[in-house]
Amino acid sequence: MTETAATRASKAARSPGPRSEGQWALGERAPLNANEEFKQHEDPLKVRDRIERVYSRTGFAGIDPDDLRGRFRWWGLYTQRKPGIDGGRTAVLPPEELEDEHFMLRVRVDGGRLDAAQLRAVADVSMRFARNTADITDRQNIQLHWVRIQDVPAIWRRLEAVGLSTTEACGDCPRVIVGSPVAGVAAAELLDATPAIEEIVARHVGDPTLSNLPRKFKSAVSWLPDVPYEVNDVAFLGAVHPEHGPGFGLWVGGGLSTQPMLAQPVGVWVPLAEVAEVWLGVAGLFRDYGYRRLRNRARLKFLVADWGVDRFRKVLEEEYLHRCLLDGPPPVLPARPFDHIGVHPQRDGRWYVGAAPVVGRLSGTRLAALADAVEAHGSGRVRLTPYQKLLVLDVAEPEPLVADLRRLGLEPEPSSWRRETMACTGIEYCKLAIVETKERAAVLVAELEQRLAGRPARLSVNINGCPNSCARTQVADIGLKGQLLNGPDGRQVEGFQVHLGGGLALAEDQQGAFGRKLRGLRTTAAELPDYVERITLRYLAGRRDEEETFARWVERADEEELR
């Protein structure tokens, strides 16, 4: 009888000596869990051939389980949640009962860069194959739903004809590269990071030497701090060296989920021409030294936390780059963070316009209409932001475009609530979710726009359907983690654990910090608008002056004020 990965792991746990973490660089090659086993058996990228030749013809019933719940992710495919299954059964039902015979398909949009032809292609796919669904994610991707396996080859042909891809949009591999949505046009930018992003994608996305990493590998490359760089596995952020000029600082080991950690600066300076090389070094180090025994400890952040950045830098330089990196200064941060919503000048004399759909929710119909509007106003470029918003670049006369965007439900002058609220996919489609998020966020925004109209508050509200923090709950002013609570009649209802006062270091006077969690601080979904209204009014009444941030007020506020 063949020994399973679980059996080998159990034996290893009982044997004397240090427990193996599955680190390849230490010769620990035996797969220690089911995911490592199927990855070792076959490069997950090879599943595309079976999708095109076999599964698109046999349909859902003919898909091998290791492909369905494993390798498909390397091509941006996750089974979505079967409709009608409540959050109480999320962790109880086996996968085959929880999943629908339709897929979420994630289209990677590296750096958030789209042209009009690409917009039209996504719109066409959405309308023809995905029931007119389209969501902007907080990693600058577009997610489609209701996709059938029979249609995936046709979808790939349509997307790839315009230079888009779903390659490694999910899976234990290099995910989408997050970048500034105003790279190349912002007046405040000293160095455009786009060439580095393009080089990384061209050389390393789909590279079989990086298609079996311990877990997902999230990257950010940006001169401006308008991306959440501190929650990425690796990030390059603009920094000016006193002798060599503009380049990038290196940050490693960020990630949220159930054990959040902020990325740490390595203290080096990297010129633009070497960013892709250093990125590859970090990815290779993660591949070889990353932990592969337990999935919940397989992110790079755990290795960085155990090693420290000094050892990490030493191994990176000696074993992967074979040279020393220059010591570097901290990143260039503005006086206040910015999100690019509204009308802004470009450095070439034209304008860009940032607009806010509600929590990133769009449709194929609206994407097609957006492409029409973009071209009608002389532009060919749209950018997605890592905050579920979008920009139109290269506009000569912005006001007519503002009017057209508003007619499409893309608001260039949104309320602070619409501007600052994000939500993950939630129970509508996600098999991990416990509560509904997107529609609830839309209702919350509408309620707060009415109740707090004219109040000078700009608070971020991040709503997540489970503990995994896809919507970055721990680094929001008000972070909401979905869970089931006992309602007034004793029955379970949807609700949220509340995190207060989190944020990232996106400005000179900020330090990244996770939100404050108070024992028992929860709200039912039905009471959520009341709670957010109450805490906002208390903040406005209790802050020392208009400059005191919500995070600083939360830090000193009495617990009863926060309930």
Side-chain angles (χ1 to χ4, degrees):
M1 182 179 296
T2 302
E3 186 178 54
T4 66
T7 302
R8 287 193 296 271
S10 177
K11 287 182 178 179
R14 295 195 301 269
S15 62
R19 182 168 56 180
S20 169
E21 291 288 355
Q23 294 169 283
W24 287 3
L26 304 184
E28 300 168 351
R29 287 281 182 161
L32 299 177
N33 60 57
N35 286 273
E36 289 301 311
E37 199 162 58
F38 80 68
K39 288 189 294 179
Q40 188 178 90
H41 178 71
E42 181 188 57
D43 182 351
L45 290 171
K46 292 183 178 180
V47 79
R48 174 164 177 158
D49 181 63
R50 286 193 291 281
I51 292 173
E52 293 180 318
R53 291 192 305 104
V54 181
Y55 300 143
S56 65
R57 293 180 172 88
T58 63
F60 188 89
I63 303 173
D64 177 87
D66 277 349
D67 287 344
L68 179 66
R69 302 181 189 103
R71 300 182 186 97
F72 271 28
R73 289 177 285 164
W74 274 249
W75 290 97
L77 289 160
Y78 280 103
T79 51
Q80 64 188 41
R81 189 187 193 91
K82 187 178 294 182
I85 297 179
D86 63 69
R89 293 189 284 172
T90 291
V92 176
L93 293 179
E96 60 270 17
E97 293 185 37
L98 189 60
E99 65 195 4
D100 191 32
E101 294 189 1
H102 293 87
F103 294 88
M104 177 274 285
L105 180 64
R106 185 176 293 160
V107 183
R108 63 182 298 152
V109 186
D110 293 280
R113 295 171 293 130
L114 290 169
D115 60 32
Q118 291 170 331
L119 273 179
R120 293 191 193 283
V122 175
D124 178 58
V125 168
S126 169
M127 291 185 286
R128 291 176 59 192
F129 301 114
R131 300 189 187 180
N132 208 29
T133 57
D135 290 332
I136 303 173
T137 76
D138 59 10
R139 290 199 61 80
Q140 297 174 300
N141 294 306
I142 293 180
Q143 286 185 178
L144 309 174
H145 299 281
W146 298 109
V147 170
R148 302 186 316 148
I149 194 62
Q150 293 93 327
D151 297 323
V152 170
I155 292 172
W156 281 337
R157 288 193 295 271
R158 183 71 180 93
L159 294 175
E160 290 168 3
V162 294
L164 290 174
S165 168
T166 70
T167 309
E168 296 184 328
C170 315
D172 299 349
C173 51
R175 302 288 185 91
V176 68
I177 313 295
V178 171
S180 172
V182 293
V185 303
E189 180 186 70
L190 297 185
L191 201 58
D192 180 1
T194 302
I197 295 176
E198 291 176 338
E199 184 178 357
I200 292 169
V201 172
R203 293 176 55 189
H204 305 303
V205 172
D207 176 2
T209 68
L210 295 177
S211 62
N212 184 355
L213 301 180
R215 279 295 302 274
K216 66 184 76 171
F217 186 65
K218 296 183 176 182
S219 309
V221 182
S222 176
W223 171 267
L224 295 173
D226 53 358
V227 299
Y229 64 96
E230 288 180 292
V231 297
N232 282 265
D233 296 278
V234 59
F236 295 84
L237 199 69
V240 178
H241 193 281
E243 297 178 26
H244 302 285
F248 296 87
L250 173 63
W251 300 67
V252 294
L256 296 177
S257 193
T258 56
Q259 299 183 67
M261 300 181 194
L262 295 178
Q264 300 181 49
V266 180
V268 300
W269 179 87
V270 182
L272 176 62
E274 297 176 10
V275 166
E277 177 194 8
V278 175
W279 179 94
L280 178 61
V282 175
L285 188 158
F286 176 45
R287 176 195 60 210
D288 300 338
Y289 284 99
Y291 304 147
R292 294 176 181 263
R293 183 174 63 86
L294 299 176
R295 294 284 289 173
N296 63 0
R297 267 183 55 81
R299 291 291 296 276
L300 181 62
K301 63 186 179 182
F302 294 102
L303 182 68
V304 172
D306 289 347
W307 279 12
V309 291
D310 290 341
R311 181 180 175 188
F312 187 95
R313 177 178 176 177
K314 178 179 175 66
V315 173
L316 175 65
E317 291 176 333
E318 293 181 356
E319 298 186 24
Y320 293 87
L321 301 178
H322 308 292
R323 60 183 175 83
C324 292
L325 294 167
L326 290 173
D327 291 339
V332 177
L333 297 177
R336 291 287 182 273
F338 41 79
D339 63 3
H340 308 300
I341 300 302
V343 178
H344 302 272
Q346 297 181 180
R347 63 187 182 205
D348 61 2
R350 292 179 290 181
W351 304 82
Y352 69 85
V353 180
V358 178
V359 293
R361 177 133 288 181
L362 291 167
S363 66
T365 305
R366 281 208 284 173
L367 286 174
L370 175 62
D372 290 339
V374 166
E375 291 189 326
H377 292 279
S379 173
R381 299 198 291 172
V382 168
R383 297 292 181 265
L384 309 180
T385 84
Y387 298 91
Q388 300 180 336
K389 310 300 188 291
L390 61 86
L391 318 180
V392 179
L393 307 187
D394 307 330
V395 181
E397 297 291 339
E399 291 310 315
L401 174 63
V402 166
D404 281 351
L405 291 174
R406 187 167 287 137
R407 281 191 286 270
L408 294 175
L410 304 172
E411 181 54 60
E413 298 176 342
S415 69
S416 63
W417 301 108
R418 179 165 175 169
R419 184 173 188 160
E420 301 292 341
T421 300
M422 296 200 307
C424 73
T425 299
I427 203 170
E428 182 180 12
Y429 299 117
C430 179
K431 301 190 300 295
L432 301 178
I434 302 168
V435 303
E436 205 283 327
T437 55
K438 289 284 190 182
E439 184 59 33
R440 182 154 290 123
V443 170
L444 176 66
V445 168
E447 284 279 334
L448 296 174
E449 285 177 336
Q450 290 187 352
R451 298 186 188 192
L452 297 171
R455 297 281 186 172
R458 186 174 169 183
L459 308 182
S460 57
V461 181
N462 293 11
I463 304 177
N464 217 79
C466 77
N468 288 320
S469 199
C470 294
R472 305 197 290 265
T473 50
Q474 296 102 325
V475 291
D477 287 315
I478 302 174
L480 301 164
K481 181 178 76 176
Q483 57 183 215
L484 296 178
L485 304 175
N486 290 326
D489 60 358
R491 296 181 181 179
Q492 283 194 325
V493 297
E494 293 189 354
F496 299 93
Q497 181 186 60
V498 181
H499 300 242
L500 294 174
L504 297 175
L506 299 177
E508 288 287 2
D509 64 344
Q510 292 180 335
Q511 287 187 334
F514 299 126
R516 182 177 174 185
K517 288 192 296 184
L518 276 64
R519 183 181 296 275
L521 181 53
R522 299 174 175 87
T523 175
T524 66
E527 296 169 336
L528 180 58
D530 293 338
Y531 175 75
V532 177
E533 178 186 24
R534 181 168 67 248
I535 196 73
T536 302
L537 291 175
R538 287 176 178 173
Y539 159 61
L540 293 176
R543 62 184 178 176
R544 290 186 172 125
D545 53 47
E546 292 186 1
E547 295 301 312
E548 184 172 33
T549 65
F550 183 78
R552 287 174 177 164
W553 174 76
V554 166
E555 194 175 288
R556 65 176 180 81
D558 183 87
E559 285 195 10
E560 287 308 308
E561 286 188 278
L562 304 179
R563 296 188 182 277

